[in-house]
Amino acid sequence: MPDTVVVIGAGLAGLVATAELTRAGHRVVLLEQEPPASLGGQAWWSFGGLFLVDSPEQRRLGIKDSAELALADWLGSAAFTAGADDVDPRRWAEAFVDFAAGDLRPWLHRQGVRWFPLVQWAERGGYLADGHGNTVPRFHVTWGTGPAVLAPFVRALLDARHDGLVDVRFRHRVTGLDTGRGGRVTGVVGDVLAADGARARGERSSREVVGHFAIDADAVVVAAGGIGANHDLVRSAWPSEFGALPARMLSGVPDHVDGAMIAATATAGGHVLHAGRMWHYPEGIANHSPVWTDHGIRILPGPSSLWLDADGERLPAPLFPGFDSLGALRHLTSRGHDHSWFVLNKTIMGTEFALSGSEQNPDLTGKDVRAVLQRALPGAVGPVERFAELSEEFVWGDSPAALARGMNALTGGDRIDADRLERAIVARDRQVASGLGKDHQVVATTMARRYVVDRLVRVAEPARLLAPDDGPLLAVRLSVLTRKTLGGLRTDLEGRVLRADGAPLEGVWAAGEAAGFGGGGMHGHRALEGTFLGGCLFSGRVAGRAVVAALR
């Protein structure tokens, strides 16, 4: 009888590991605590962005990239320490960059995955050459967004189930790992939850326990995600040197992303690294049609909006929109601010605002070429227009004074001084009107338009915010949006979970966010975007293939 492997979590990393295992003929029991509608986990909701290096898409746009440059950018962003706790994360980082420059694209391409030809430039950095940020555009949006990244692995799951190699058990929540003689993990135990089959994808599901289970296994793969929906845990792990995360936060992940399997694996002996390293966004807005608790959406901004803190002060260079997300978040939390503002006008919104997520980009998700071409025309895309119409976070004004009144009315205070707001706008407009300028943001915006994609569809031509034809003015209140855990279970380069002394926790592998996307935190302190889906793909593949090798 084939060996039995238990895979915990039916998100992207779990599906990739399952595909590798069943392709080799192993029997998999795939356990997922959510109803069937949530197959694919967080990846389904994603924009489908992948960090690819020296791709055909980049080369067609004249982008000169290389594995060496990408690794330099990665290390400049990660800021790994020389200590033992960063040895495995750094090894994973180096291996992942090689994968992103090598087999990632051909592997997916062979399975039918394709990409939008206009490569985006995320996390631009703005520091010195060896600091944080992408030197060149690397964010490749998958044609079909997150669902298209999942598609080949969902197909593999269905084929394997047809062949009798996979037993998918939804509403099975693992609560612990069984250990046998010598401390080797020999199976899992958990609760059977009420079916709750009427729940739509991402909706909060029942936690009513209707039974229990125990499964023996020759190997266990933990791929159950991070902690992003557990706001109490997120706050407790946030580094104190950056202040405190606010009482009011939005969630970029569904309710079930609670970190329970990281804790359960740690109880069995697995070592958790870098719990305080995490990747949350300061540019969140409340979803006008929420699916899960405190459901937020991230604005994907171009570089032209003024970014003001809760008191109306501009964030310092280079904390401009799209340059350093975590740096901006740390700046705000260290000052005790629970929100910030983008200040712009209607024309800039129409050119530069996009929203993250598959459901907020129906043209790309639906592979609608005609609709995608509309992005090159003046005006905002449909989902942005809908947010501007329905969201209370969007405040309009015909003058700085009117805008300040609206901003204060929304927050119920008087922190935004109208005269100070007008001075900030006028000072910025003088820089634009000069045709050159010393303002770092104005210079960076002008430079961004040297890249053909930014010039065509992403960055507005520099112009005065107070230009009458481009109004009215707009302020968007931004909140902290929880998203990813950068730390996690420590793993070696085979995906084996390690104990605190560096020895393997026999019988257990980990992948995806539960493993910090590899090694217990391959991103270090900061991420370069497009690396979370890629990290799930890579670590799921590594873990699946390593289990196959171990069971030979």
Side-chain angles (χ1 to χ4, degrees):
M1 184 173 180
D3 296 300
T4 297
V5 181
V6 168
V7 176
I8 306 169
L12 179 58
L15 290 177
V16 173
T18 298
E20 293 293 332
L21 288 158
T22 56
R23 185 169 58 87
H26 291 285
R27 181 177 179 271
V28 174
V29 180
L30 178 60
L31 302 177
E32 170 57 54
Q33 67 177 343
E34 293 307 296
S38 287
L39 179 67
Q42 298 174 59
W44 189 91
W45 297 96
S46 76
F47 200 17
L50 291 173
F51 178 95
L52 300 177
V53 178
D54 193 25
S55 70
E57 289 78 16
Q58 287 176 300
R59 293 194 293 271
R60 280 193 289 268
L61 292 166
I63 298 168
K64 298 177 181 179
D65 201 6
S66 67
E68 294 76 15
L69 179 60
L71 181 60
D73 285 349
W74 191 290
L75 296 178
S77 299
F80 291 123
T81 68
D85 281 355
D86 269 340
V87 171
D88 289 306
R90 180 170 180 140
R91 289 171 177 164
W92 270 87
E94 292 168 348
F96 176 76
V97 171
D98 284 345
F99 181 60
D103 200 29
L104 174 54
R105 187 186 183 282
W107 176 58
L108 292 177
H109 194 275
R110 289 192 297 269
Q111 299 180 79
V113 180
R114 299 294 184 267
W115 293 271
F116 186 55
L118 303 184
V119 182
Q120 304 295 303
W121 199 345
E123 286 296 303
R124 299 168 190 246
Y127 299 93
L128 298 180
D130 58 354
H132 170 64
N134 283 297
T135 299
V136 298
R138 298 189 175 105
F139 191 82
H140 295 66
V141 178
T142 301
W143 186 234
T145 65
V149 177
L150 284 166
F153 307 104
V154 172
R155 287 196 304 269
L157 179 72
L158 296 176
D159 290 344
R161 188 170 66 174
H162 178 269
D163 294 338
L165 289 173
V166 175
D167 179 5
V168 185
R169 301 183 189 180
F170 294 101
R171 305 302 282 155
H172 281 60
R173 178 180 62 191
V174 176
T175 57
L177 305 181
D178 263 346
T179 53
R181 184 175 300 175
R184 180 183 178 86
V185 171
T186 57
V188 300
V189 297
D191 300 326
V192 180
L193 305 178
D196 217 8
R199 296 289 180 184
R201 180 184 292 275
E203 288 185 348
R204 184 180 181 90
S205 60
S206 168
R207 288 298 177 260
E208 179 188 357
V209 176
V210 297
H212 305 281
F213 67 89
I215 303 172
D216 294 333
D218 298 287
V220 174
V221 179
V222 178
I227 68 173
N230 188 335
H231 286 189
D232 289 339
L233 188 55
V234 168
R235 289 190 190 91
S236 68
W238 182 252
S240 59
E241 63 263 36
F242 301 120
L245 289 171
R248 175 187 175 273
M249 296 194 296
L250 302 174
S251 281
V253 295
D255 293 84
H256 63 266
V257 185
D258 59 6
M261 271 314 303
I262 297 176
T265 309
T267 298
H271 184 40
V272 177
L273 289 178
H274 306 308
R277 295 182 187 176
M278 51 189 83
W279 187 258
H280 307 307
Y281 293 110
E283 312 104 323
I285 53 176
N287 193 338
H288 56 74
S289 302
V291 177
W292 53 79
T293 305
D294 298 320
H295 188 175
I297 300 294
R298 184 196 177 201
I299 292 179
L300 302 174
S304 297
S305 300
L306 288 180
W307 200 341
L308 309 181
D309 65 20
D311 291 324
E313 296 287 347
R314 283 183 71 179
L315 271 62
L319 303 182
F320 313 132
F323 280 67
D324 180 3
S325 295
L326 191 62
L329 177 59
R330 289 172 172 176
H331 174 84
L332 295 167
T333 57
S334 66
R335 284 155 178 76
H337 294 191
D338 66 354
H339 68 279
S340 60
W341 300 92
F342 283 159
V343 172
L344 59 157
N345 58 35
K346 188 174 183 179
T347 294
I348 292 173
M349 183 194 80
T351 301
E352 296 195 358
F353 269 20
L355 300 170
S356 182
S358 58
E359 83 285 12
Q360 299 299 330
N361 294 275
D363 52 349
L364 291 164
T365 302
K367 303 181 181 181
D368 186 335
V369 174
R370 180 174 296 180
V372 168
L373 291 175
Q374 300 298 310
R375 290 177 177 249
L377 300 177
V381 295
V384 173
E385 290 281 8
R386 182 168 172 79
F387 259 91
E389 177 184 351
L390 298 178
S391 175
E392 69 171 13
E393 313 277 16
F394 284 64
V395 178
W396 299 92
D398 291 327
S399 67
L403 194 66
R405 287 195 297 271
M407 295 162 74
N408 287 328
L410 177 59
T411 59
D414 59 359
R415 298 176 73 168
I416 303 301
D417 179 79
D419 291 338
R420 184 170 59 187
L421 177 62
E422 182 169 12
R423 287 196 297 271
I425 293 172
V426 169
R428 180 263 183 200
D429 281 2
R430 286 196 191 104
Q431 294 291 300
V432 173
S434 75
L436 293 172
K438 64 183 180 182
D439 185 290
H440 289 301
Q441 183 175 2
V442 172
V443 173
T445 302
T446 302
M447 290 296 294
R449 287 177 56 84
R450 292 179 58 189
Y451 175 47
V452 61
V453 173
D454 281 345
R455 186 169 65 251
L456 291 176
V457 298
R458 201 70 182 93
V459 180
E461 184 175 357
R464 295 167 52 242
L465 291 180
L466 294 176
D469 292 343
D470 292 335
L473 291 171
L474 168 63
V476 183
R477 182 178 65 173
L478 309 172
S479 301
V480 176
L481 179 72
T482 63
R483 187 63 66 85
K484 296 298 180 187
T485 313
L486 296 187
L489 294 165
R490 182 183 176 190
T491 58
D492 62 16
L493 277 177
E494 296 178 3
R496 296 182 300 177
V497 174
L498 303 179
R499 297 178 180 273
D501 63 1
L505 176 60
E506 296 291 345
V508 186
W509 287 254
E513 194 173 350
F517 302 95
M522 72 171 189
H523 293 91
H525 289 276
R526 277 179 167 91
L528 288 173
E529 292 291 8
T531 57
F532 302 132
L533 286 178
C536 288
L537 290 163
F538 183 50
S539 60
R541 190 171 94 150
V542 166
R545 293 183 178 186
V547 174
V548 170
L551 295 179
R552 284 188 183 133

